[in-house]
Amino acid sequence: MKIQKVLTLAAPVIFSMTLLNPTAVAAQSRFDEQFVSYPTYSGNDLELLVDNSGTHFRLWSPKAQEARVNLYDNGHTGSPYQTLSMKADRANGTWTASVPEKLYGKFYTFQIMADGKWKDETPGVWAKAVGVNGKRAAIIDLAKTDPEGWATDKGPAVKNFSDVIVYEMHHRDMSMHPSSGIANKGKFLALTEEGTVSPLGEKTGIDHLKELGITHVHILPSYDYNSVDEMNLQNNTYNWGYDPQNYNAPEGSYSTNPSDPETRIREMKEMVKALHDAGIGVIMDVVYNHTAENDGSNFELTAPGYYHRHWDDGKYSDASGCGNETASDRQQMRDYIINSTKYWADEYHIDGFRFDLMAIHDTETMNEVAAELKKINPDIFVYGEGWTAGDSPLAVDRRALKENVSKMKDIAVFSDDLRDAVKGHYSNAEDRGFATGKPGNEETVKIGIVAATPHPQVDYKKGNNSKFPYAESPEMIVNYVSCHDDLSLTDKLHKSMAGEPEKNMLEAAKLAQTIVFTSQGTPFMFAGEEIFRDKKGVHNSYKSPDSINAIDWNNKTKYHDQFEYYKGLTALRKAHPAFRMTSADDIARHLVFDKIDSAKTPNLISYSLRDHANGDSWNEIKLVFNGASEPQTVNIKKGDWKIVAKDGKISPAEGLGTTKGGKITLAPYSALILARE
Ligand code: CA
């Protein structure tokens, strides 16, 4: 069966409630105990090494009865021109074979014998280049895939992770629509094209990203995945890519020639370089938590049973909701995740990693990942989904859960607290949130504003999702109101505000993102929301066609006011460190909420960032959020205030005028931002 990603970002309250009680969880399964004694090997010559003495293969497979390498002239057809028997190196569980020639241009697969039978061919788990559809590994000279200037290529410097502004995008969403004006539609190369415009003359693609002012793109899975047939690209099949096949090679359908193993590598590097040249970092979505196939996965075909977790009866456990889950708590799998991310950071200059269903991994692994990546580049940003999509044999206290984030150093988690409180519950389309007029979410929004850190004015017991300050530092939190999963913000507003004029939805969108962009922690947005993109109401659009998923760039003209507002949000955040504090103590000291009785005046939050917070040039910043469908009036302390944002307009540098304070009325669904020197 082909497993598809069905459950994704659904921070399932039902699981986190039960899983928080460690006694309710089964011990590591008895079936899995057999793997503890396996010898391990993580040398950098795993599977393939080409040097002056020839081509060398080393497959890790401790329990194989025999192992062999099939050599091919071609990436997907024909029989092997030669098959090499491999020799066991029992001390470290590997099998080796060598030939004296450099086999550049050739392809290979491994096969192992288990229970007296040869298993299916596999490119192994460490293929860094593959033939079309990833069935055979390719032998290439990686140095030849480097674009011009690669040796000096570098991502943007990141002083603190709270300085990062994340823009989450899928390659096809960005460029497939005819209005993108981009030639290489749906390809890595799309983001290398400068000067592209919509039919109405608005910048698109990489120029649009520069204009918007985000600091990092977060690209949906870009390693080789399973679901798109790379030999039938004319069918234009769409998939998010949460069905991993080869973790260490780029996806072929995003290249201009999937049959040439070098092309996808070179083109992905060209994309990274173009973004770096534009001052934009590249974060990759990684899905080490499960594989597309169970018995047919490369993990299972090389070391049966080892890389996945199981229940006592030997059945695959399935915390991913996609049929299986991997076993980061086992040394060879842990090393695999560490070495694979290091490879992407080294070879592709990747600036960050977003871990899908990160809580399937253990905190120890995640800490080692972050520590090892720091050695390559201290600016690498690691964050993930601090939840699972099902139960796991891994003990709850070991899981890289949101609630365990304080056990992890230099790792951030998504705040589903802010997400659901601002716009309404992710799975209930009609449910409204703070920014769309539903009372009762004020305290949870405040949890998001202080980045889930301890704060004397936040009552965590009233939180909708989490009941305690789980983050020790704001750099552990990624704030957002929507992402690729579930309804886009635009669709959510259309569903939950049905019957209201679209203008109200546009204002609510601005308010929702104002909360995200001014909150402590790292802001994260879904591509195209700045021009009110939708997904035509489709919730789980993982394999919906481009007609659902592609961004219509004509929206940039239609919703130009929206785009200008988002530009204002990125500019405001980048100019003012008060929104980017780096310690919980600073937040507790400088962020002061005004006393509002939410029972009497719901959907109103007001707070100050005081005393030049985090070295800000502004002495005090006042933020007031009115999520009600009616205007609300607040009393602002007397002073010489600059109006930074009001009633759906924003102007961080020049301002929208001044006020002496006193009574100020906010339009429905709007934010007020004032600043004084
Ligand atoms: Ca593929």
Side-chain angles (χ1 to χ4, degrees), residues 89-106:
D89 188 348
R90 293 287 179 198
N92 56 35
T94 65
W95 295 78
T96 61
S98 285
V99 294
E101 306 86 30
K102 291 182 179 175
L103 296 181
Y104 289 136
K106 303 295 185 191

Side-chain angles (χ1 to χ4, degrees), residues 4 8 10 39-40 62 80 126 132 150 186 191 201 238 286 293 320 335 360 365 379 422 429 549 554 613 622 647:
Q4 289 288 4
T8 49
T40 60
W126 263 108
V132 68
W150 190 243
L191 289 179
Y238 181 101
V286 288
E293 306 274 352
S320 71
D335 288 347
I360 290 177
T365 296
D379 296 349
V422 167
N549 280 307
N554 291 311
K622 172 69 73 184
D647 298 346

